[in-house]
Amino acid sequence: MTVHVWDYLPEYEAEREDLLDAVDTVFRSGRLILGDAVSGFERKFAAYHGLAHCTGVDNGTNAVKLGLEALGVGPGDEVITVSNTAAPTVVAIDGAGATPVFVDVREDDFLMDTDQVAAAVTPRTRALLPVHLYGQCVDMAPLRELARRHDLVILEDCAQAHGARHHGRLAGTMGDAAAFSFYPTKVLGAYGDAGAVLTDSAETDARLRRLRYYGMAERYYVVQTPGHNSRLDEVQAEILRRKLRRLDDYVRGRRAVAARYAEELGDLAERGLVLPSTAEGNDHVHYVYVVRHPRRDEIIEGMRRYGISLNISYPWPVHTMSGFAHLSRAPGTLPVTERLAKEIFSLPMYPSLPASVQDKVVAALREVILAL
Ligand SMILES: *Cc1c(COP(=O)(O)O)cnc(C)c1O
């Protein structure tokens, strides 16, 4: 049996009855598109964050894209973000017709280096798009100050940070709008594709509702272009509505797994293993458990021999991918991001990770690293 970095089956076994009941509830409701499940989840997800509005969409990529469009970002506009992210962040900026502009990340926590953002602002800059990567938040105060000074909007990419807090404030409550993914691996995961955009602005929310519904404000009549079909599915919404009640438990479970890794692996620092660090003011939710070692590839190969398949989030910085070769940054220009991509790897992390499996991972990793 191979151990993977993520596995939803233990959770499914534990929650099966509730999840199947969710499916049955929707199927028997008589309404399969934009019904009570979607509106119910939207209300609950907004309330969880203490915000006025949530619009459910079909996935996290479109949450970012529609979020930008709803905030008035489009062709000719520059959006400052990081290259050390899941490519969909950047795919979505591109999809909105805007131009991604990259800054580097910090060496210790791999998050956006906010000190570099001011120098990246040009007359065309329209938005800042911080990515709360791996489960902890970017330092928002300097971004908010820059946004105020240059009249920019802020869209938070919260796809990896459900329930994370920054100086006590939840991820998704610190900008003009926030994009979430509920891709199954995420901290709050659906059983398929799903996403949402949060905002406190009624105007932005109204635009989002039209954007996900062909550009229509009412049936059959388009009032706004571009329009999309980006609706959140009823079944996924009902599953999410139920799983949202357990979000804080999932976060606690992830923190327990992380604490155990830290305890069991801390002494390998002298063998070059760097464990995740939490930035000041952050409550980390450990979407992924990313560690660092200069001999990463040998470690991954060694772990494979123990039947443990590790992952790299992410092996290629976005700006080095051929699909983004047209963007401003050439390879070599974001040194921290590029160095990290060669040294990082992820250990198994999910709240239902059985202790016996974690033990096996820890024991194998110790052996592999000590034998290097
Ligand atoms: C997962 C993810 C996305 C994309 O979400 P999908 O639901 O897969 O479209 C965007 N940004 C980040 C940071 C992500 O981790």
Side-chain angles (χ1 to χ4, degrees), residues 84-85 110 133-134 160 287-288 290 296 311-316 341 344-346:
N84 185 42
T85 180
F110 314 161
L133 198 72
Y134 304 153
Q160 307 193 357
Y287 164 58
V288 279
V290 176
R296 186 261 316 270
N311 197 27
I312 302 171
S313 298
Y314 298 92
W316 301 287
I344 54 175
F345 60 105
S346 312

Side-chain angles (χ1 to χ4, degrees), residues 58-64 84-90 92 129 131-134 157-161 179-186 192-195 287 314:
D58 51 350
N59 58 63
T61 308
N62 285 338
V64 175
N84 185 42
T85 180
T89 306
V90 185
L129 207 166
V131 180
H132 301 318
L133 198 72
Y134 304 153
D157 184 338
C158 298
Q160 307 193 357
F180 285 81
S181 165
F182 308 111
Y183 183 79
T185 60
K186 310 290 187 185
D193 278 310
Y287 164 58
Y314 298 92

Side-chain angles (χ1 to χ4, degrees), residues 351-368:
S352 57
L353 177 67
S356 59
V357 176
Q358 193 176 7
D359 286 344
K360 189 175 153 176
V361 172
V362 165
L365 189 62
R366 297 193 69 82
E367 293 205 13
V368 169

Side-chain angles (χ1 to χ4, degrees), residues 106-333:
R106 305 195 292 202
E107 190 91 45
D108 50 354
D109 54 24
F110 314 161
L111 296 168
M112 176 183 256
D113 185 348
T114 55
D115 290 344
Q116 296 187 16
V117 176
V121 172
T122 76
R124 299 169 73 142
T125 306
R126 185 73 198 93
L128 306 179
L129 207 166
V131 180
H132 301 318
L133 198 72
Y134 304 153
Q136 67 173 329
C137 294
V138 171
D139 187 11
M140 292 299 289
L143 296 186
R144 275 200 300 271
E145 171 55 25
L146 270 179
R148 197 186 52 74
R149 190 154 10 115
H150 297 282
D151 195 22
L152 312 174
V153 293
I154 298 179
L155 177 69
E156 300 176 70
D157 184 338
C158 298
Q160 307 193 357
H162 316 67
R165 284 178 187 270
H166 181 62
H167 297 290
R169 291 180 69 173
L170 277 168
T173 66
M174 298 177 283
D176 296 285
F180 285 81
S181 165
F182 308 111
Y183 183 79
T185 60
K186 310 290 187 185
V187 177
L188 179 60
Y191 277 68
D193 278 310
V197 188
L198 289 177
T199 181
D200 233 2
S201 156
E203 199 186 320
T204 302
D205 189 64
R207 273 198 291 271
L208 281 162
R209 286 170 186 280
R210 297 191 289 263
L211 281 166
R212 76 165 173 192
Y213 190 64
Y214 318 114
M216 294 176 182
E218 58 183 308
R219 257 173 116 184
Y220 304 139
Y221 194 92
V222 174
V223 292
Q224 159 186 316
T225 54
H228 310 282
N229 177 357
S230 280
R231 297 180 292 248
L232 173 59
D233 180 75
E234 275 287 287
V235 173
Q236 299 305 337
E238 182 61 22
I239 287 171
L240 288 167
R241 202 177 64 80
R242 291 158 185 246
K243 287 191 69 177
L244 178 58
R245 301 182 188 129
R246 301 188 279 271
L247 174 55
D248 294 343
D249 295 333
Y250 299 144
V251 169
R252 267 191 291 277
R254 286 175 178 274
R255 288 197 180 124
V257 172
R260 202 130 173 270
Y261 277 135
E263 203 177 295
E264 302 284 331
L265 299 171
D267 63 305
L268 291 179
E270 55 191 45
R271 297 300 194 114
L273 183 71
V274 181
L275 299 182
S277 80
T278 301
E280 194 240 313
N282 273 349
D283 291 326
H284 206 308
V285 296
H286 298 286
Y287 164 58
V288 279
Y289 194 84
V290 176
V291 300
R292 181 174 182 183
H293 195 286
R295 294 172 73 178
R296 186 261 316 270
D297 295 341
E298 292 161 75
I299 295 174
I300 289 182
E301 188 45 44
M303 293 294 278
R304 214 190 309 277
R305 285 196 296 272
Y306 285 90
I308 298 164
S309 163
L310 301 182
N311 197 27
I312 302 171
S313 298
Y314 298 92
W316 301 287
V318 176
H319 70 288
T320 67
M321 297 179 187
S322 60
F324 291 111
H326 58 286
L327 297 177
S328 56
R329 289 286 192 160
T333 58

